[in-house]
Amino acid sequence: MMDVRSFAVIATVVFGIGVYGALARRHAIAVIIAIELMLNAAVLNFVSFSRLAAPGSAVSGQVFAVFIITVAAAEAIVALALVLALHRALKTARLDRFNMLKW
Amino acid sequence: MFPGILALVPALPFLAFVVIGLVTRPWRWLSAGVAIAAISVAFLLSLGALSFLLTAGAETPRVVELTWLTTSTLNAHIGLRLDALSGIMLVVVTTVALMVQIYSLGYMSEEPSLSRYYAYLSLFCASMLGLVLATNFLQLYVCWELVGVCSYLLIGFWYDRHAPAFAAKKAFVTTRFGDLGFLIGLIMICTAAGSFDFVEIQAKVAAGTWTAGWLGTVAVLLFCGAAGKSAQVPLHVWLPDAMEGPTPVSALIHAATMVAAGVYMVARLFFLFSASPDAMQVVAVIGGVTAIFAALIALVQDDIKRVLAYSTISQLGYMMLALGVGGMAAGMFHLFTHAFFKALLFLGAGSVIHATHTNNMWEMGGLRKKMPWTFWTFVAGSLALAGVAPFAGFFSKDAILHLVMGKNLFLFALAVLGSLCTAFYMTRVICVTFLGEARAASGHAHESPWVMRVPLVILAVLSVVAGFWHAGFERLVQGGEAEAEGLNLGFAAVTQMVPLAGILAGVMLYVLKSPDPDALAVRFAPLYTLLKRRFYVDELYDWIIDRIVLRCSAGLAWFDRHVVDGAVNGVAWLTQQTGTQLRYVQTGRVQHYALAVFGGAAILLAIAHVAGAF
């Protein structure tokens, strides 16, 4: 059996990539992908720590993972619809152009 | 019956005020009728009250009271107190008020806002009568301020002209200085006694609840109010200026009644003043100084009403002097007689002004033939004021002089000198106004209508006969058991020389012209100027206000504008600037906000880590 530490490291790396992508990427679709990465890092953590805490019996971590995957699917639809609407209005999907609500 | 029905005495004029204000305002003669009807009934009731006192005795005051306000610590009542003092004052006030209101029908006949005039007069009568009948300090104070307001309104009756408006303000502000002391004294005594009531406080004073020193302080503070209202030195400056009001108003308010309220107040609170010899001394000295001070100024005034105004101040000084040396009856008797003859003199002066349209005596002259009624009644009033036997002023002034001689020779000398001046300046007024050849303004002069002559004659008769009530008055006020001090014939014969000498000097200067008054004025130029400029008191006050008060005010105004306002504006500026700068944080770019959220979370985690949470 693999060490839980490896899962934690992988989750942290994936989460870090997600944070970087969400904060630094200019394209809206890329930011959405980065957010999905962060969610998946969280899912990985839930499952691995659930296994660590109660191997083979409790499944609360896995239930969380299923819920998150469901919510992420719904969220991705809403986000993609928003990006589509913005693209229709502004002919672009670059986040740095969406700054009409400043000051 | 008494004194409950006396509620009508102040209530009727007040009702007249309300009716004139709300109903009869467009019909000016109807308004005058309403006011005169109200004061007539009040006058008859007052006469009834006085005759009731004379038959039934006035030893114990008769009091009816209603509760006005009740608090846990103090009960305020409103009521009527009928005793010798208030009975006499009722008659004085209603008599003079009735005469003045009838006289005003003629004097003010061309006035378009006659309704307003009679409304104010009625309100004044109501407040003055309420003051006279007061049973307690609170009622006294409320009515005291009400008569002040009426005085303000009536001095400034012609408010569209500058001088009356200014004079009204001056009168109000000057008396306010005195009233400050009055209010402090009132609060001190009423909180100490736990009551406003005269009877209760009198009982506590008599029981020796307080030390003479403390009572003296209270009495002197209360006297400040009396000095303001009764125009005693150094608060006398408002009264001569108050002559800007209509002349009948001067007769009623600034000669006979309101200015006497200060004297009445001291007499009413005599139990308090007489408990402190020091306070009595203050009253006597202020009164004596005022008597001579104002009489000297009156010697050289050119405005007929101003002579009378200074004369009023001087006579009020005599009343205070009498009260100060313990002669409550003498002081009140002088108030009583003075009310009649000074009202008469003012109404006579009004008659002259009505005929000549000027206040300056030197533009009149030779009016004796043209206005015989006015002349003879004016002479009667002047003789009474000068204190020539057997006119009313003789009895009252003689009683004061006799009393003062027994107490304080210095004040006696001042009083005698003032008496000499009084006779002289009244002779001067008569000679310049009525005798000699006619000058500019007397050409078209004619006698006043009967409606103005009748009050003159009635008041003239009163000025002649009022003095003979001397003994009866004293018995009434002193409460019967005290033996009335009879007329001391020897003393009277000596003091009689004083007014006669004054009249003689006046005749020599202004009829025979030997010595010529103008030459004397040049010869004693510094003294003449000093008197002419009224001892520079007004200039002193102007100087104090201009140089000290206004400069301090300018400094404070600068402080207010720059420091206080600056602080307020600075806070506003700071808030605005902060907002202006901080709004640039709102970039509108969602990733900046996300960075702030992650950064914040990272900082919180770092803090938690350092604090040892994990």
Side-chain angles (χ1 to χ4, degrees):
Chain A
M1 183 180 166
M2 288 179 70
D3 189 4
V4 75
R5 207 170 294 168
S6 334
F7 290 102
V9 170
I10 292 171
T12 309
V13 170
V14 172
F15 187 81
I17 294 169
V19 169
Y20 169 78
L23 295 182
R25 297 291 299 203
R26 290 281 178 263
H27 203 279
I29 303 289
V31 171
I32 292 168
I33 293 169
I35 290 169
E36 295 299 327
L37 280 181
M38 285 193 279
L39 285 170
N40 285 333
V43 169
L44 189 56
N45 260 3
F46 269 117
V47 176
S48 52
F49 282 104
S50 179
R51 288 283 294 175
L52 176 71
S57 58
V59 289
S60 52
Q62 285 82 339
V63 172
F64 261 108
V66 174
F67 267 101
I68 291 172
I69 290 164
T70 317
V71 172
E75 171 254 304
I77 291 161
V78 174
L80 285 171
L82 283 171
V83 171
L84 209 58
L86 279 168
H87 189 266
R88 273 190 197 144
L90 299 171
K91 304 289 173 224
T92 180
R94 288 175 64 92
L95 281 179
D96 52 349
R97 300 287 163 82
F98 303 154
N99 62 352
M100 286 79 79
L101 287 175
K102 66 180 173 183
W103 308 333
Chain B
M1 179 172 130
F2 286 111
I5 197 172
L6 280 181
L8 283 177
V9 175
L12 281 173
F14 186 77
L15 203 64
F17 164 70
V18 173
V19 168
I20 293 172
L22 295 181
V23 185
T24 69
R25 197 158 49 110
W27 305 284
R28 55 197 202 110
W29 295 114
L30 186 62
S31 304
V34 168
I36 291 174
I39 197 70
S40 303
V41 178
F43 168 67
L44 291 176
L45 280 170
S46 306
L47 276 188
L50 187 61
S51 63
F52 168 76
L53 283 180
L54 286 172
T55 50
E59 283 82 5
T60 50
R62 293 165 174 80
V63 175
V64 282
E65 279 186 323
L66 296 173
T67 305
W68 179 19
L69 291 171
T70 311
T71 67
S72 54
T73 48
L74 277 178
N75 289 326
H77 295 101
I78 184 162
L80 306 161
R81 174 186 169 121
L82 182 64
D83 59 5
L85 280 180
S86 60
I88 288 158
M89 282 299 284
L90 281 183
V91 173
V92 169
V93 172
T94 52
T95 309
V96 178
L98 180 61
M99 291 302 120
V100 163
Q101 294 201 1
I102 293 173
Y103 177 94
S104 298
L105 288 175
Y107 188 85
M108 301 291 279
S109 59
E110 283 156 27
E111 174 60 49
S113 28
L114 197 67
S115 293
R116 185 163 59 90
Y117 177 77
Y118 273 99
Y120 289 167
L121 276 187
S122 297
L123 180 62
F124 169 76
C125 292
S127 349
M128 186 70 206
L129 292 165
L131 189 158
V132 166
L133 288 166
T135 57
N136 55 67
F137 271 102
L138 194 62
Q139 190 184 349
L140 181 77
Y141 186 69
V142 169
C143 292
W144 181 270
E145 295 298 353
L146 270 177
V147 291
V149 170
C150 295
S151 163
Y152 168 79
L153 290 172
L154 283 163
I155 295 169
F157 182 69
W158 290 306
Y159 55 80
D160 49 351
R161 298 209 309 252
H162 175 74
F166 183 79
K169 229 169 15 185
K170 182 170 175 182
F172 202 70
V173 172
T174 314
T175 47
R176 191 50 20 109
F177 274 95
D179 289 349
L180 179 66
F182 184 24
L183 185 60
I184 296 171
L186 189 154
I187 291 169
M188 278 171 75
I189 185 91
C190 291
T191 35
S195 163
F196 290 113
D197 200 73
F198 289 147
V199 179
E200 281 179 39
I201 292 176
Q202 183 166 9
K204 288 200 172 153
V205 171
T209 314
W210 300 295
T211 63
W214 190 83
L215 276 177
T217 314
V218 171
V220 169
L221 283 168
L222 292 172
F223 180 68
C224 288
K229 205 58 121 191
S230 290
Q232 300 295 294
V233 171
L235 294 177
H236 66 285
V237 290
W238 66 271
L239 188 54
D241 285 6
M243 297 299 124
E244 293 292 344
T247 308
V249 168
S250 310
L252 176 62
I253 299 184
H254 306 118
T257 53
M258 188 196 80
V259 289
V263 179
Y264 175 74
M265 190 257 271
V266 176
R268 171 56 81 213
L269 305 176
F270 203 64
F271 60 86
L272 211 159
F273 281 85
S274 54
S276 158
D278 294 334
M280 293 291 272
Q281 190 68 24
V282 169
V283 175
V285 169
I286 295 272
V289 169
T290 305
I292 180 71
F293 186 83
L296 283 172
I297 298 176
L299 293 177
V300 298
Q301 295 299 307
D302 296 326
D303 182 328
I304 186 168
K305 282 182 74 182
R306 279 183 181 255
V307 177
L308 294 177
Y310 279 108
S311 160
T312 305
I313 298 174
S314 167
Q315 300 305 311
L316 291 166
Y318 278 104
M319 297 172 207
M320 288 295 185
L321 174 60
L323 292 171
V325 296
M328 205 258 267
M332 281 305 289
F333 190 53
H334 196 53
L335 190 164
F336 175 73
T337 58
H338 173 262
F340 297 130
F341 59 69
K342 189 49 70 66
L344 166 64
L345 287 171
F346 266 107
L347 294 185
S351 177
V352 170
I353 293 166
H354 192 60
T356 59
H357 302 289
T358 176
N359 280 12
N360 191 334
M361 293 193 296
W362 299 101
E363 294 175 16
M364 301 171 183
L367 291 173
R368 180 170 68 93
K369 290 274 168 50
K370 291 180 170 161
M371 311 178 71
W373 289 88
T374 307
F375 173 66
W376 288 112
T377 50
F378 199 88
V379 168
S382 302
L383 289 173
L385 173 57
V388 176
F391 293 88
F394 160 72
F395 294 92
S396 53
K397 205 178 276 184
D398 197 66
I400 294 176
L401 289 179
H402 193 237
L403 205 72
V404 177
M405 191 179 69
K407 296 278 170 130
N408 188 328
L409 276 181
F410 173 67
L411 290 175
F412 175 70
L414 288 185
V416 169
L417 201 58
S419 175
L420 184 72
C421 295
T422 308
F424 178 81
Y425 63 66
M426 283 323 292
T427 314
R428 175 173 174 268
V429 168
I430 289 176
C431 293
V432 173
T433 308
F434 291 101
L435 306 181
E437 77 278 19
R439 281 179 285 261
S442 351
H444 47 77
H446 52 83
E447 183 58 280
S448 300
W450 65 268
V451 76
M452 287 164 71
R453 292 204 300 268
V454 168
L456 287 179
V457 172
I458 294 173
L459 286 172
V461 170
L462 284 171
S463 304
V464 177
V465 302
F468 293 104
W469 193 37
H470 174 236
F473 186 96
E474 204 157 309
R475 259 199 307 281
L476 186 65
V477 172
Q478 306 259 335
E481 84 279 4
E483 192 56 40
E485 198 184 337
L487 203 56
N488 188 328
L489 279 180
F491 180 75
V494 177
T495 54
Q496 214 22 219
M497 294 299 123
V498 176
L500 292 180
I503 291 172
L504 187 68
V507 169
M508 274 169 66
L509 257 74
Y510 291 97
V511 178
L512 306 175
K513 303 273 185 202
S514 64
D516 185 42
D518 296 334
L520 278 182
V522 174
R523 179 127 178 254
F524 298 100
L527 182 65
Y528 180 77
T529 318
L530 183 67
L531 294 181
K532 195 82 177 171
R533 305 307 299 266
R534 296 157 293 173
F535 288 100
Y536 295 99
V537 175
D538 280 286
E539 281 83 351
L540 175 69
Y541 288 170
D542 281 348
W543 185 85
I544 290 175
I545 288 166
D546 276 353
R547 291 295 165 85
I548 300 173
V549 178
L550 286 186
R551 278 198 189 171
C552 293
S553 307
L556 289 173
W558 184 90
F559 182 81
D560 183 58
R561 204 166 300 132
H562 292 93
V563 179
V564 178
D565 284 8
V568 173
N569 292 340
V571 168
W573 180 86
L574 194 67
T575 313
Q576 198 183 4
Q577 283 304 309
T578 315
T580 309
Q581 298 304 323
L582 275 179
R583 72 188 180 134
Y584 294 114
V585 173
Q586 196 89 4
T587 56
R589 285 175 61 176
V590 73
Q591 282 171 316
H592 291 171
Y593 307 152
L595 180 62
V597 170
F598 278 109
I603 289 169
L604 286 178
L605 280 176
I607 290 171
H609 181 68
V610 169
F614 58 88

